[in-house]
């Protein structure tokens, strides 16, 4: 699985909006500068997030972006799916749409298991969790494993 720059930037933008929740709408320029995201790229991402119902926007002098939902109800998976589509795909297809024959048949349950594990993590972490620096315990345990930080 690969996290695209688009998905990374989207999660960071939503996180930035979450920590500024309750104040004035946040300008895209401010998010871009704070998170070191190219402004034009961010504008497209924010448009996708708006169309996906995760953020709302207001035009004008006091305009900008804010979350459309409580950050405790927005998972990392929600953000990634909104900007990139399915979280795990094989050759651009969802694993459930694949078929293998012969010696390759055992690959399908492997891809399904991979998808299930990735989903378990990304659907189990909310934007509020990250904003509070309070990742769920199972995620913290995985991240604390020394092998998690090694590049084989």
């Amino acid at each position: 699985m690969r996290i695209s720059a688009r998905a990374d930037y989207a999660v960071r933008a939503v996180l930035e909006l979450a920590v500024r929740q309750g104040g004035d709408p946040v300008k895209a320029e401010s998010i871009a500068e704070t998170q070191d995201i190219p402004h034009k790229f961010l504008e497209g991402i924010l448009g996708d997030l708006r169309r996906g119902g995760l953020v709302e926007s207001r035009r004008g002098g006091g305009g900008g972006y804010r979350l459309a939902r409580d950050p405790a109800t927005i998972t990392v998976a929600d953000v990634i799916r909104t900007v990139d589509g399915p979280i795990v795909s094989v050759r651009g297809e969802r694993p459930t749409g694949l078929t293998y024959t012969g010696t390759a048949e055992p690959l399908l349950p492997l891809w399904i298991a991979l998808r299930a594990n990735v989903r378990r993590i990304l659907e189990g972490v909310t934007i509020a969790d990250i904003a509070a620096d309070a990742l769920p315990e199972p995620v913290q345990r995985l991240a604390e494993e020394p092998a998690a930080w090694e590049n084989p």
Side-chain angles (χ1 to χ4, degrees):
M1 179 190 167
R2 184 180 305 222
I3 303 294
S4 69
R6 186 173 189 78
D8 177 56
Y9 291 163
V11 172
R12 289 165 47 197
V14 170
L15 179 59
E16 191 64 31
L17 292 173
V19 299
R20 296 187 192 193
Q21 196 78 336
D24 292 332
V26 182
K27 302 250 185 246
E29 296 85 8
S30 177
I31 298 168
E33 184 178 318
T34 302
Q35 290 296 323
D36 195 27
I37 300 171
H39 180 257
K40 287 291 184 191
F41 197 27
L42 178 62
E43 285 286 353
I45 291 167
L46 289 168
D48 287 346
L49 293 170
R50 184 181 51 74
R51 285 185 291 281
L54 298 182
V55 303
E56 53 191 23
S57 63
R58 185 168 46 170
R59 297 179 189 255
Y65 294 88
R66 61 173 29 137
L67 293 181
R69 299 181 359 214
D70 182 319
T73 68
I74 301 171
T75 68
V76 174
D78 294 332
V79 177
I80 293 172
R81 284 186 186 113
T82 299
V83 299
D84 269 356
I87 291 176
V88 174
S89 64
V90 178
R91 300 183 327 262
E93 293 184 48
R94 294 173 192 246
T96 52
L98 300 172
T99 55
Y100 293 103
T101 59
T103 57
E105 274 188 73
L107 280 176
L108 186 56
L110 174 65
W111 300 150
I112 298 294
L114 172 68
R115 180 176 80 158
N117 272 325
V118 170
R119 284 170 58 176
R120 182 176 296 132
I121 291 171
L122 297 180
E123 291 173 352
V125 178
T126 68
I127 297 302
D129 293 334
I130 301 168
D133 193 13
L135 293 175
E137 182 60 34
V139 176
Q140 285 183 7
R141 277 197 314 272
L142 283 171
E144 290 169 358
E145 290 179 10
W149 295 87
E150 295 174 9
N151 293 324

